Each structure stands twice: as C-alpha cells, then as structure tokens.
Amino acid sequence: MHWDRFFDDLEDQLASEWEAERAALDTEAERLRLSRVTLRDRLTLLAERDPSAAVPTFELADGTILRAAVSGVGADWVALALTEGRPAGALVPLGALASIGMAHAELLRSARPAPSRSSLTERLTLGFVLRDLVRRRASVTVHTASGRTLAGTIDRAGADHLDLALHEPGSARRADAVTGHRLVPFTAIAWVRVDGAGSLV
C-alpha cells in the first residue's frame, strides 16, 4: 500500500514535470513565431477584422490621427477606408505609420498566425498603386511628413517619386486650373487622401 502511494506520487511528479516542460517549449515556440511576425502580417489580419469591432486609429508621421479600417496591404503600404467625414480612402506608406491604437482583443488577434499571401500582393509597391491613381486621374491630397498638404492630380509616378499637378481639392485636372507642379519623393509622403474612394484596392 505504501509503495503504491509512492509510485503514484512519482507518476504525478513526472506528469507535472512533463507538463511544465511542454508548456516551456510551447512558450518558446510562440516567442519564436512572434519574432517572425511583421507589421504587414498584423495589418493583413486587421483587414479581416470583425465589423462589430472598434475601428483602429492610425497615428501618422505628420501627426495626423485617422480612424479607419484596413482595406488592403501591399509590399510597403496600407490602404485605409476612412470612417469619418465624406467617403475617402487613404494610402499610407508603412514607414509613415507612427502607431496604431486598437482594442486589446484586436491587438491579440492581429498577432495570431497570418494566412498565406499571394506573391502578387508581395509585389504591389507604393509606386504601383500610385500609378493606378495616375490612370484613374484621381483627385488626391498628398500629406507630407513635414506637415505640408498638396492637393491636385498625380501626373506621373516613378520608382521613388511622383509628379503632382496642383489644383483645387476635389476638382478635375484642367490645364487652366493647374496652379503649379511638385515633384514629391515617396520618402516625404505621410499619406495620400483619395476622395470618393472608400477603398483603394
């Protein structure tokens, strides 16, 4: 009887040690997995958020704070559907994100394993999306990291910069309405507002 209890205690102790070891391995594996999670992965999961969840806030390099839902994620940018004011979309270079505010539950959900992305999405750069705005002749407002605001239409988008024809916000680009031109490096862009576009992608 005494030996039975002794072996039961040993068995319980061994089981506890195995559980502790498995928990430590699981914790270490989770730490390793989290060390490989990118901001793009987390933004991709935010794009799949529950519509009833609180809308995140995005603080940008120019100090602007936007309440918006993620509508798309590319190689080096995120597209946001603005939830306040008139319908508009925002195109934000990942490097211009200062912080993202969200409910704790959404924060945890965005850290779970991300679904596999298509190789096409991996190749969609900021320049690619800006060239699409050139094709659409969309009226935009470019907000620079220094706090300047430039309204107009993007005439051309190169590898690392864009040409902007300046005119009144929301109006069509006509030769007689253009008041000037600006060449803007992508590195200077905090975000681009596209009016009437709830989603850019």
Side-chain angles (χ1 to χ4, degrees):
M1 191 71 159
H2 174 65
W3 286 107
D4 288 344
R5 218 174 344 182
F6 175 74
F7 287 123
D8 286 345
D9 286 346
L10 277 179
E11 195 175 288
D12 289 345
Q13 184 179 350
L14 185 60
S16 291
E17 287 175 8
W18 277 55
E19 281 298 317
E21 189 174 324
R22 188 174 332 138
L25 287 173
D26 288 347
T27 300
E28 190 55 36
E30 180 64 3
R31 282 191 191 115
L32 182 61
R33 185 192 69 77
L34 285 171
S35 73
R36 295 178 180 143
V37 173
T38 66
L39 178 59
R40 285 179 58 231
D41 294 334
R42 296 186 80 170
L43 289 167
T44 299
L45 286 170
L46 284 178
E48 301 167 1
R49 67 184 263 290
D50 179 351
S52 65
V55 176
T57 57
F58 294 83
E59 182 182 355
L60 308 181
D62 67 344
T64 300
I65 296 178
L66 301 174
R67 286 179 45 80
V70 175
S71 60
V73 182
D76 55 356
W77 56 270
V78 60
L80 305 175
L82 304 180
T83 59
E84 295 176 343
R86 63 186 190 271
L91 182 63
V92 182
L94 293 183
L97 290 171
S99 70
I100 304 169
M102 66 189 84
H104 188 249
E106 285 293 293
L107 185 75
L108 293 175
R109 193 181 69 74
S110 75
R112 73 174 200 243
S116 60
R117 292 185 301 266
S118 74
S119 60
L120 177 62
T121 305
E122 301 281 332
R123 294 191 311 254
L124 294 178
T125 63
L126 179 63
F128 182 89
V129 179
L130 290 171
R131 282 186 284 281
D132 181 60
L133 294 177
V134 171
R135 279 189 290 278
R136 288 197 259 163
R137 307 304 295 155
S139 178
V140 301
T141 305
V142 177
H143 299 260
T144 68
S146 65
R148 297 252 351 236
T149 302
L150 304 168
T153 300
I154 303 170
D155 283 342
R156 285 165 290 285
D160 60 357
H161 67 282
L162 61 84
D163 295 354
L164 186 70
L166 303 177
H167 57 75
E168 283 298 313
S171 65
R173 186 205 190 288
R174 292 183 318 276
D176 62 339
V178 173
T179 59
H181 297 86
R182 294 290 185 277
L183 189 148
V184 183
F186 291 169
T187 55
I189 297 173
W191 63 292
V192 178
R193 179 186 178 102
V194 184
D195 286 325
S199 173
L200 290 166
V201 292

